[in-house]
Amino acid sequence: MKRSLCWVCAAFACGTAQAAGFFHDRDALEELRLAYDSNNPKIKAAYFRGYVAGVADSVHGSAWCPSDKVSPERTYWLVSKYLKDHPANTARQDAAEAVMTALGAAFPCPSK
């Protein structure tokens, strides 16, 4: 039992370490966006969804302010569409900034 738990913890730690460093640049995000658009391979599409959801949750209310409840799938689609349609706007940004730019374009926050 202890051995199984150690293997599970080790696998989780390795998977998390890989995911943590994968999304820092815009090119890696673009590769995942293409996978999301084609849903192939599915694991990369899932990474794209997870990354967009994480960024969206962390900056909700500051970088983007949807007036109504937005479904997660609509959020992924909007980010993917923005990144595809406006590559020059996000080319020099890291992955998180590119997602924030896309979300802010779709759902800008009101000026104070």
Side-chain angles (χ1 to χ4, degrees):
M1 178 69 171
K2 287 183 182 179
R3 180 176 271 175
S4 296
L5 183 59
C6 288
W7 280 110
V8 169
C9 290
F12 179 73
C14 290
T16 304
Q18 178 189 7
F22 190 70
F23 302 101
H24 289 278
D25 70 33
R26 174 67 173 79
D27 292 336
L29 183 65
E30 180 63 12
E31 180 183 335
L32 296 179
R33 185 196 66 74
L34 291 171
Y36 168 78
D37 280 356
S38 66
N39 204 25
N40 186 19
K42 291 182 185 241
I43 191 73
K44 286 186 178 182
Y47 274 124
F48 178 82
R49 286 182 183 98
Y51 189 75
V52 169
V55 172
D57 283 348
S58 69
V59 297
H60 185 269
S62 61
W64 73 297
C65 299
S67 57
D68 294 324
K69 190 162 181 104
V70 179
S71 74
E73 195 58 44
R74 177 138 171 88
T75 303
Y76 313 142
W77 180 84
L78 286 168
V79 170
S80 178
K81 181 168 176 21
Y82 185 88
L83 296 177
K84 180 173 58 176
D85 294 347
H86 303 91
N89 292 7
T90 59
R92 295 194 182 271
Q93 297 177 330
D94 67 20
E97 290 173 315
V99 172
M100 287 187 292
T101 299
L103 292 171
F107 303 103
C109 292
S111 301
K112 292 184 178 186

